[in-house]
């Protein structure tokens, strides 16, 4: 991707001004993706005065704004048996999407686990209902732009830009679910970017008017057809694609584009110029791939692009360096933690050099999920902040796995519940006793991956030798 513009190194001085206070909240959640939805619902469910701020006019995060339309990380392969391991608030949300007619039956992925597709309209509406019924205040079209700090490394207010002008939101506990750790970064919490191979952004798209009978199981044959087209001279963004039906079988989602800079680096979702240029490049690649679909893939000849989503899909930007960083080893060894807040179920699916390298725990002998520890949500250096979702404390490889929507929901519910407990006992989130948090989560229907299943889990201090199955797939990222 060619990036035409460069940023000017000059400055203007912005005059000091008084910023009106929008409101005074116990819990302020930034971002309405899976983590933010669950965090806000959890805090409000326990009676906390909660505000969720979102830059778009709808909830769902990458799941709707970037057209992902598929939940991963809800199911684990527990010694050969596929089980739902994410419950609690997520179960409520899924049931609401289902009642609106927008949830697919789970589908198998690589014969080893399951994912579940959904329609974005149903997800948006179900998430609205879930939050409103739990008493969350939602402010859409509110772009957070900075913080004001009080004494003792405490955030006083989050600054937002709205159509009514700039506003300040006062809060006692803040939960950063922005995906990019915007709030944590402004507050001075340490974070990391670009260590390892940063995951590439993708412009998802959906096509309508597919003939499902003629298309058959095109998701199995698409790699071969792409290779054939490439050998005939059609450029391809990679060697694989996710091409899968949605709830209505005439509508299919396509995940194939890879947005990189000219030097091969993934376009950076926190760099204004690269993010903007990436939108154009993503649409360009989507159009080119669609032409191939229509021309060369049975069932697609009368189809059309029904949706190019509001934004380029960003997989990875900032990850905070918190009290514990979930790592590749934790994923592959199905690690157990005393402060578990739930189960992470996606293995590693690392897109490397145009392929996707899946790295699974040994299915026959492992329980197929790892614990997500509470310490992942605790940033260093800021007292009244929790961070949940894809920007929590993860190594690059840990993020490859735990960025799945299922894990983000788990982290969100834990963060919102921890915010409630911190306020209840007048403590900082880091001083909330994990046992108390776990009791609240279990009472609210969450599954922490303990009990019978935990027997097969491997303790943090006694990790076995790595026993992973490495597999190079012809299928795509997260599918
Ligand atoms: C192309 C692609 C394919 C994927 N495929 C799958 C898949 O098949 N299955 C799966 O489970 N996962 C998939 N993922 C991963 C998954 O969608 C994300 O990791 C997950 O949505 C992260 O959730 P989150 O809540 O942490 O953050 P996000 O979903 O990124 O949500 C963050 C929210 O915060 C808002 N926000 C950010 N900054 C600000 C700000 N400054 N002010 C106001 N609002 C702000 C954003 O608008 C957004 O709504 C995919 C991701 C991509 C990009």
């Amino acid at each position: 991707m060619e990036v035409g513009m460069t940023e000017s190194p000059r400055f203007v001085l912005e005059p000091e001004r008084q910023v009106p206070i929008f409101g005074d909240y116990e819990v302020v959640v930034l971002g309405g993706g899976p983590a933010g939805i669950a965090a806000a619902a959890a805090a409000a469910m326990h009676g906390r005065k909660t505000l969720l701020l979102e830059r778009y006019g709808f909830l769902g995060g990458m799941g709707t704004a970037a057209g992902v339309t598929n939940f991963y990380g809800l199911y684990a392969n527990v010694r050969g048996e596929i089980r739902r391991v994410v419950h609690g608030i997520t179960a409520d949300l899924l049931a609401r999407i289902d009642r609106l007619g927008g949830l697919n039956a789970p589908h198998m992925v690589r014969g080893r686990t399951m994912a579940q597709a959904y329609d974005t309209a149903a997800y948006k509406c179900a998430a609205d209902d879930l939050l409103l019924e739990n008493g969350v205040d939602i402010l859409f079209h509110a772009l957070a732009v900075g913080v004001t700090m009080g004494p003792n490394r405490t955030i006083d207010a989050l600054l937002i830009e709205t159509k009514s002008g700039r506003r300040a939101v006062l809060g006692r506990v803040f939960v950063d679910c922005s995906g990019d750790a915007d709030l944590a970064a402004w507050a001075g919490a340490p974070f990391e970017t670009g260590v390892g191979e940063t995951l590439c952004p993708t412009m998802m798209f959906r096509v309508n008017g597919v003939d499902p009978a003629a298309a058959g199981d095109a998701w199995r044959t698409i790699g071969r057809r792409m290779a054939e087209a490439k050998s005939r001279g059609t450029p391809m963004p990679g060697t694989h694609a996710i091409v899968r039906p949605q709830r209505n079988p005439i509508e299919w989602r396509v995940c194939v584009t890879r947005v990189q800079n000219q030097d091969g680096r993934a376009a950076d979702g926190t760099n204004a110029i690269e993010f903007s240029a990436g939108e154009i490049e993503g649409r360009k690649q989507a159009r080119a791939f669609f032409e191939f679909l229509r021309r060369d893939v049975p069932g697609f000849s009368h189809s059309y692009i029904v949706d190019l989503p509001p934004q380029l899909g960003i997989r990875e930007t900032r990850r905070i360096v918190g009290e514990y960083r979930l790592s590749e080893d934790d994923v592959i060894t199905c690690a157990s933690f005393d402060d578990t807040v739930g189960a992470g179920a996606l293995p590693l699916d690392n897109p490397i050099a145009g392929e996707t390298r899946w790295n699974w725990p040994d299915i026959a002998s492992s329980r197929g999920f790892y614990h997500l520890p509470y310490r992942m949500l605790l940033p260093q250096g800021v007292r009244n902040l929790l961070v949940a979702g894809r920007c929590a404390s993860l190594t690059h490889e840990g993020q490859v796995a735990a960025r799945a929507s299922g894990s983000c929901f788990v982290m969100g519910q834990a963060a919102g519940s921890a915010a409630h407990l911190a306020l209840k006992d007048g403590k900082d989130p880091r001083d909330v006793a994990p046992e108390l948090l776990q009791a609240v989560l279990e009472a609210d229907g969450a599954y922490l991956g303990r009990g019978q299943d935990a027997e097969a889990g491997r303790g943090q201090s006694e990790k076995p030798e790595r026993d992973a199955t490495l597999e190079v797939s012809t299928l795509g990222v997260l599918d």
Side-chain angles (χ1 to χ4, degrees), residues 323-327 329-331 333-340 367 370-376 454 456-464:
E323 294 298 323
Y324 184 83
R325 301 174 75 207
L326 192 85
S327 70
D329 255 19
D330 295 331
V331 172
T333 63
C334 295
S336 291
F337 297 101
D338 288 344
D339 60 342
T340 175
R367 68 177 176 196
Y370 36 96
H371 285 165
L372 298 165
Y374 178 48
R375 284 160 296 155
M376 279 173 66
R458 287 116 179 222
Q460 191 184 347
S461 51
E462 296 171 73
K463 280 188 196 144

Side-chain angles (χ1 to χ4, degrees), residues 45 108 140 198 223 227 268 315 336 361 429 471:
M45 201 164 81
M108 285 301 295
F140 286 128
T198 301
D268 179 356
R315 293 188 169 87
S336 291
E471 184 185 1

